[in-house]
Amino acid sequence: MNLLRSVLLLGIFAMFHGCATQAPSLTREQINAVLCAPDRAETDKANDTRRKASELLQFIDPRPGMQALDLGASGGYTSQLMARAVAATGQIGRAHV
């Protein structure tokens, strides 16, 4: 199961970095704004430390305007973070496989 998750995360990472034109990476302040958004569920905010949400967003490096697919999305925690990071100009698809 961990191998499958690693492969899926690697695929997501490759899709993000495969874009021909890229916006600049999110700053720490922008990542904090995503994590502290007032309309996020309190349960998600409580999970941010345990799930290392800030480090995850820095690693995945989602940027405004990107298109990505979150495979193994389950409850959608990571999908929601990525959707907020790619903003209104990007798209996120999700599937739980």
Side-chain angles (χ1 to χ4, degrees), residues 81-92:
L81 291 177
M82 290 191 308
R84 291 173 182 277
V86 301
T89 57
Q91 294 180 337
I92 297 292

Side-chain angles (χ1 to χ4, degrees), residues 25-37 54 57-58:
S25 295
L26 297 178
T27 64
R28 287 189 188 272
E29 291 78 20
Q30 290 171 312
I31 290 174
N32 285 337
V34 167
L35 299 177
C36 296
S54 179
L57 287 174
Q58 288 173 356

Side-chain angles (χ1 to χ4, degrees), residues 7-8 12 14 17 19 23 33 35 45 47 55-57 61 72 76 88 90-91 96:
V7 169
L8 293 175
I12 292 168
H17 286 282
C19 296
L35 299 177
K45 289 180 182 181
N47 284 324
E55 292 90 342
L56 175 67
L57 287 174
D61 195 21
Q91 294 180 337
H96 183 64

Side-chain angles (χ1 to χ4, degrees), residues 20-85:
T21 59
Q22 294 183 349
S25 295
L26 297 178
T27 64
R28 287 189 188 272
E29 291 78 20
Q30 290 171 312
I31 290 174
N32 285 337
V34 167
L35 299 177
C36 296
D39 60 335
R40 284 189 69 218
E42 290 301 319
T43 54
D44 286 344
K45 289 180 182 181
N47 284 324
D48 288 346
T49 301
R50 180 180 59 84
R51 297 182 109 176
K52 301 182 180 182
S54 179
E55 292 90 342
L56 175 67
L57 287 174
Q58 288 173 356
F59 175 75
I60 294 176
D61 195 21
R63 300 170 187 211
M66 285 187 161
Q67 296 178 357
L69 175 63
D70 184 4
L71 298 174
S74 190
Y77 173 86
T78 304
S79 301
Q80 182 188 92
L81 291 177
M82 290 191 308
R84 291 173 182 277

Side-chain angles (χ1 to χ4, degrees), residues 5-17 68-69 71:
R5 278 205 176 141
S6 297
V7 169
L8 293 175
L9 281 174
L10 183 60
I12 292 168
F13 179 77
M15 286 190 313
F16 274 123
H17 286 282
L69 175 63
L71 298 174

